[in-house]
Structure formats: C-alpha cells, structure tokens
Amino acid sequence: MKFNLITRKKRVIENLAGAKAYSMTPEYELYAAVVTTGLNGSYYESANSRLDRIIKLIQKCDPEFVAKLAVYARNNMYLRSIPLVLTVELAKQSTGNSLVSSTVSKVVKRADEITELLAYYQFANKRTGTKKLNKLSKQIQKGLVMSFNNFDEYQFAKYNKSTEIKLKDALFLVHPKAKDEMQQVIFNKIAKDELATPYTWETELSKLGQTQFANSFEKSRAIKRKWEELVASKRLGYMALMRNLRNILEANVSSSTIEMVCLNLSNENAVKKAKQMSG
C-alpha cells in the first residue's frame, strides 16, 4: 500500500498546563522532571506535587537508569537536592547489589550532603520518635562510609551546622572506618565537637562583629582591612564574591582590591568552575 497508509493511534494526553501533548516513557518523563526545575515549584505544579510525581516515576523506571540519572544530575547538572531524593528512593527499589552504595558515594559531593541525605531518608521513610534513623539501609550506610572519607577537617567544619541531624549524629549512625590515622583524628574531632573553626568570610566577619571598637572610624577601617584580606586570600568563593560585591564596595577597599575582584570574576576558568548558571 502506497497511499492508503495504516494509521496508528497516537498517545495524546493532557499536560499540566491543560494542553494536548504526547505521552512520554517513565524514564524520559523522570529525566524531564529532574533536569528542568528540580524540586522547585512551577506555575503549573507545586514543589510537593512534583516530588510525589517524581517518586511515582522512580518506581516505574529501571533502577540502573535512576542511579545514572542521580549521578548525572549531581555531577553534570550540579543539582544538589534531587540526586539525594533519587538515591534514597532507589534504595527502596534496588537490593542485593552495590548499586545504591555506589550511587551514594558519587552524589555526595559536599560534607553537608551526608546529613541532607539522612534527613531525606528520615522524611521518605516516615520515621518518627527518638530513633528516627534506626535500621538505616545497609547500602545507604556503605555509601556514606565511603563519603565520610572524602572530606578533610576544613570541609567538615565549614558545613558543621546546627541542623536537626548533625555531622556527629551521622558519624555515630554510619560508623565509618577511617582511611588513615589523620582521617581518624578528624572523626574523633567530629565526635567531640572539636573541629577547628574554618577560615571563611562568614566566620571572619562574625569574629569581627564581636570585636569592641573605640569608635565607628576604627570599626570601618577594620572592616575595610578584613575585606581586603579576604579577597587577597583567594578563599572567597566565586558565589560569595558575587554576593558580597556591594559590601566590598561599601567598605571602601583599595583600588588594587577592586581590580583583584574584577580579575577573579572575569577569569574564564573561574566562571566555568563556579556553576552559577547551573540548576
């Protein structure tokens, strides 16, 4: 038959906007939901509804696809929350292999993501009471054991916040085996709340704010010197530098400091690493 072609029923559905659209496979729909707006609400869908839809889609997808998507979302799209969601939900679908533990170690890229993952695990499994994280998934635990050995004291201290689940709680729950003696010293410091205060712009300005000055002139001069020191130290991250441009200018820093700020912000490699345009 050349002209009278066989027709096939097209899978036309109604999308969230109420318009006609073609239905997608669960994998493609999950990918679209993850890489477009993550867990943020949109005009047509609230954040909670999106999370519920993502969880249902995960249950329909091949576990290996979910694992690869979690790693891709974290390492290529630079998303932070949704890869943890994918990983925790994956633990409900995949057992008897190292898929989950391997995924955990690849998506936890910052020290605070250890506690963030546990917080979502607690939420996802509807844990209540004093022992909310009792009977932690073995694969989640194995993945976090590997993650604990990826960070130094500065990284742990920088993200050691007063959150519901603290790094010390995670340490006692996961029981990581230190990769060497130096790492064990760090673990001991976490357990005893003895991590050294990290050198960050927040901690430095906080210390400055607790200092008593003779007058406003002395205070202004100290703030000026501190911003010049922070910029010169190159410990001020790209995002922190952008966020504090107004504060730096209002501190009346030197022209050489302003030139240094401009050079840092316009540096091609720094722009690539900054991930400012990521989701």
Side-chain angles (χ1 to χ4, degrees), residues 112-166:
D112 60 334
E113 289 171 353
I114 292 174
T115 52
E116 189 70 14
L117 185 145
L118 290 173
Y120 181 74
Y121 183 89
Q122 175 182 295
F123 169 81
N125 290 282
K126 298 180 173 61
R127 297 293 180 82
T128 57
T130 55
K131 296 184 178 180
K132 296 178 181 179
L133 290 170
N134 194 28
K135 296 181 180 178
L136 182 68
S137 159
K138 290 298 181 183
Q139 287 301 311
I140 292 286
Q141 182 178 356
K142 286 181 180 179
L144 290 178
V145 165
M146 290 185 275
S147 299
F148 257 102
N149 279 289
N150 291 334
F151 306 109
D152 57 25
E153 183 174 3
Y154 173 83
Q155 292 167 310
F156 280 123
K158 183 178 180 180
Y159 297 110
N160 189 28
K161 309 294 183 181
S162 296
T163 49
E164 183 182 356
I165 300 174
K166 300 176 178 61

Side-chain angles (χ1 to χ4, degrees), residues 189-203:
K189 286 186 176 183
I190 294 174
K192 297 176 182 178
D193 290 321
E194 293 178 352
L195 288 170
T197 302
Y199 181 90
T200 66
W201 67 271
E202 294 102 330
T203 57

